[in-house]
Amino acid sequence: MEQFNTIPLTTLTGTFCACMGVEPPKYATTKIDELVEYITSRCQNGKVDRVIIYNPDAIGDYIYRKYYDKFASVRKHLKREQPLLSMIPPKTPVCFASIYSGATPEQHGISKYVKPVLTIDTIFDALIRAGKKPCIVSVAGQSMDKIFRERDMDYYSTADDRSAVDKAIELVKEDKYDFICVYNQEHDSVMHITHPQSRFALRALDHYCDNFDRLATAVKENWKSHDTLVGFATDHGTHREWYGLGQHGKNIPKDMNITHLYDIFPKQQ
């Protein structure tokens, strides 16, 4: 019988803040100590000064393991795999609210597929208090484009996944942000109208990996003067329903178990 992962998404904000030396937001009371040690031990000053997180929607751990070779272009950049447990219910706004606040659904208030602007303390608020410049690059209208609005930071809304990554690469070259989130959606969108292992859904995974490879390559080329934490961080998994289409939202391993990848791109000069 498949087991559930044990480390929840609520540990990530505390982990990112610890790696940056930033006081975490109110609800981010836990972190992944082993991941913090892995990252900070490779930094010149014991902390990172840049973070860029690529958020591809809806990659379950079972999909990642079954189609492991598809993710080779991600693993050539990121060596550290981090098993994680999604939120209940495993829905996109619920999960990203927890990823970037450290709060449970009961604490942040999103417990279904709705996209309100969060009023609780988030990592973006913590970064702004610390004098850092965060931004979010997302496909327009999606959860990452909506729920963290109304803060003194920049938001970039794009027409599709590729243009989101194009914009993020442009921002990397400008080198004015300390923390960049980049959201892509294709696999989630496609699997809902087919299923998670359809040829269309698998092609969407290829697009995720190609987009991340372009982004990571740009970071390596343009942020050589920074110790940078880079992440490939999904929100939840998926399953195929009895009627044939892809879905997520159940407290089952296929929906709840995910794997993130992280690494440090060390300062070169």
Side-chain angles (χ1 to χ4, degrees):
M1 182 177 179
E2 188 176 2
Q3 301 297 308
F4 285 95
N5 290 342
T6 58
I7 299 176
L9 290 179
T10 49
T11 57
L12 290 173
T13 279
T15 299
F16 299 152
C17 287
C19 289
M20 296 186 79
V22 168
E23 184 70 23
K26 177 180 178 180
Y27 293 107
T29 57
T30 58
K31 61 183 185 300
I32 307 171
D33 291 327
E34 296 84 357
L35 182 55
V36 173
E37 171 63 21
Y38 176 84
I39 296 298
T40 58
S41 66
R42 289 161 173 77
C43 299
Q44 288 190 17
N45 298 316
K47 62 181 181 180
V48 299
D49 57 330
R50 289 286 188 275
V51 176
I52 186 162
I53 307 295
Y54 177 73
N55 293 130
D57 204 317
I59 306 175
D61 183 68
Y62 80 101
I63 292 289
Y64 175 67
R65 298 297 169 190
K66 183 171 182 178
Y67 299 99
Y68 194 72
D69 289 348
K70 281 186 173 292
F71 297 89
S73 60
V74 178
R75 290 193 304 274
K76 78 177 183 181
H77 298 288
L78 309 180
K79 306 304 181 187
R80 175 67 182 244
E81 292 184 347
Q82 180 61 60
L84 290 160
L85 185 69
S86 191
M87 293 290 99
I88 298 174
K91 295 286 188 178
T92 300
V94 180
C95 297
F96 281 121
S98 291
I99 288 173
Y100 290 117
S101 71
T104 65
E106 292 74 22
Q107 291 168 330
H108 61 59
I110 302 179
S111 58
K112 57 185 178 180
Y113 189 73
V114 292
K115 305 173 188 177
V117 174
L118 288 179
T119 58
I120 66 161
D121 203 19
T122 70
I123 193 170
F124 305 107
D125 302 291
L127 290 166
I128 293 165
R129 287 195 295 269
K132 306 290 187 182
K133 287 180 65 65
C135 75
I136 296 173
V137 188
S138 173
V139 177
Q142 301 305 307
S143 298
M144 281 295 292
D145 187 48
K146 287 180 170 285
I147 66 174
F148 300 108
R149 290 276 176 170
E150 300 180 12
R151 289 164 169 87
D152 185 18
M153 57 184 281
D154 293 332
Y155 306 87
Y156 298 92
S157 305
T158 68
D160 52 35
D161 284 3
R162 186 172 182 85
S163 58
V165 174
D166 289 342
K167 184 62 182 180
I169 290 171
E170 178 185 321
L171 299 177
V172 166
K173 291 177 179 178
E174 292 177 2
D175 194 17
K176 66 179 183 179
Y177 293 106
D178 304 292
F179 192 104
I180 301 177
C181 297
V182 188
Y183 170 80
N184 276 185
Q185 69 171 40
E186 183 184 358
H187 179 71
D188 184 75
S189 298
V190 170
M191 74 89 199
H192 277 301
I193 57 175
T194 57
H195 62 85
Q197 299 181 66
S198 72
R199 64 187 178 94
F200 304 102
L202 296 180
R203 184 173 63 188
L205 293 180
D206 292 335
H207 294 161
Y208 279 172
C209 294
D210 290 344
N211 280 338
F212 175 79
D213 186 25
R214 292 195 300 121
L215 183 63
T217 298
V219 172
K220 285 182 174 177
E221 291 174 350
N222 293 278
W223 283 4
K224 293 178 181 179
S225 61
H226 303 293
D227 281 317
T228 303
L229 168 58
V230 182
F232 184 91
T234 193
D235 51 348
H236 56 71
T238 59
H239 66 274
R240 189 175 189 179
E241 279 286 359
W242 61 270
Y243 48 79
L245 300 183
Q247 189 55 269
H248 55 88
K250 293 183 176 180
N251 186 18
I252 57 175
K254 281 188 174 182
D255 285 12
M256 295 291 292
N257 286 349
I258 56 177
T259 295
H260 286 190
L261 290 97
Y262 294 101
D263 222 315
I264 179 77
F265 291 4
K267 187 180 298 186
Q268 300 297 309
Q269 59 189 36

